[in-house]
Amino acid sequence: MNSDSKPSGYYPYPGSPGSSTSAQYSNISSWGTLPTPVPGTPYLAPAHPALQQPYNAILPPHPAPYSSESATHPPVAALTLRLTPHPRTRIPSMDVTLSSDHPGPLTVYDVQIFVSRTLSRPITHSELRVLTEQVAYNAASAAFHARTANNPTAFANGMCIGDRMGGAWCIIGVVPTAEPGVWEVRLDVPRSR
């Protein structure tokens, strides 16, 4: 075997697919089981395991030991991220583009901070207008009022992308789509404590 070939079942991230390290990243949710194997590749998970672990993106992520590792395999310098609320919300997805602002590939931290900032940014009128179904508009309105309750400053700042997503601030996982360069960021509403 030459140095460029990968052994059968090669897993590009820390821990083997069957180890307790990778098991913590494999989730079962109403979305299905993550990570999602990619047909035709020897990789179990094309996205870093940290991007397949649920986390609440309402707060910016803190740098972690894996933050500077490549977000995808193979590494890329740009991605289109499709922010996709859970299908039960009937809220349409939204594509946003992320490009590396440093030499080299996108890192785990690049993706996490980009998603957090995108969900926190103010919504435009055109982004709100795509919510043509009343149920989707009602979900966005309810998310805005829940987030801004008892917070006049947040209320005055207006609706944000996270509200447009029906309050879906919890990232369930990041998986590739059938479209080259497009990755789906699966979102859901965080569970109440």
Side-chain angles (χ1 to χ4, degrees):
M1 172 168 46
N2 69 37
S3 63
D4 292 336
S5 67
K6 307 291 186 230
S8 177
Y10 172 71
Y11 189 68
Y13 302 109
S16 66
S19 74
S20 61
T21 303
S22 65
Q24 71 183 345
Y25 299 119
S26 182
N27 314 283
I28 295 178
S29 73
S30 56
W31 278 103
T33 302
L34 294 174
T36 304
V38 177
T41 70
Y43 306 107
L44 173 69
H48 193 283
L51 297 175
Q52 298 175 13
Q53 171 176 252
Y55 67 94
N56 195 335
I58 200 165
L59 299 173
H62 296 287
Y66 53 76
S67 293
S68 61
E69 294 176 16
S70 177
T72 62
H73 190 83
V76 296
L79 284 175
T80 296
L81 298 174
R82 180 163 293 147
L83 303 177
T84 308
H86 195 283
R88 75 174 173 275
T89 64
R90 295 172 43 189
I91 295 174
S93 59
M94 174 181 173
D95 288 358
V96 291
T97 302
L98 168 61
S99 298
S100 181
D101 61 356
H102 52 78
L106 292 170
T107 66
V108 170
Y109 188 74
D110 292 335
V111 173
Q112 289 177 329
I113 197 72
F114 180 78
V115 171
S116 178
R117 287 178 180 164
T118 298
L119 291 173
S120 298
R121 82 167 167 78
I123 193 170
T124 65
H125 289 291
S126 63
E127 290 166 336
L128 188 57
R129 270 188 241 128
V130 301
L131 301 179
T132 55
E133 288 192 47
Q134 189 64 41
V135 67
Y137 184 84
N138 290 348
S141 180
F144 168 72
H145 289 289
R147 181 179 60 82
T148 61
N150 302 319
N151 187 337
T153 304
F155 186 86
N157 288 336
M159 192 175 274
C160 65
I161 296 297
D163 299 326
R164 181 233 185 250
M165 294 292 157
W169 291 91
C170 187
I171 296 174
I172 303 301
V174 179
V175 295
T177 67
E179 299 171 61
V182 179
W183 289 63
E184 182 178 62
V185 178
R186 294 178 173 179
L187 300 167
D188 207 350
V189 177
R191 287 182 169 71
S192 300
R193 295 181 186 205

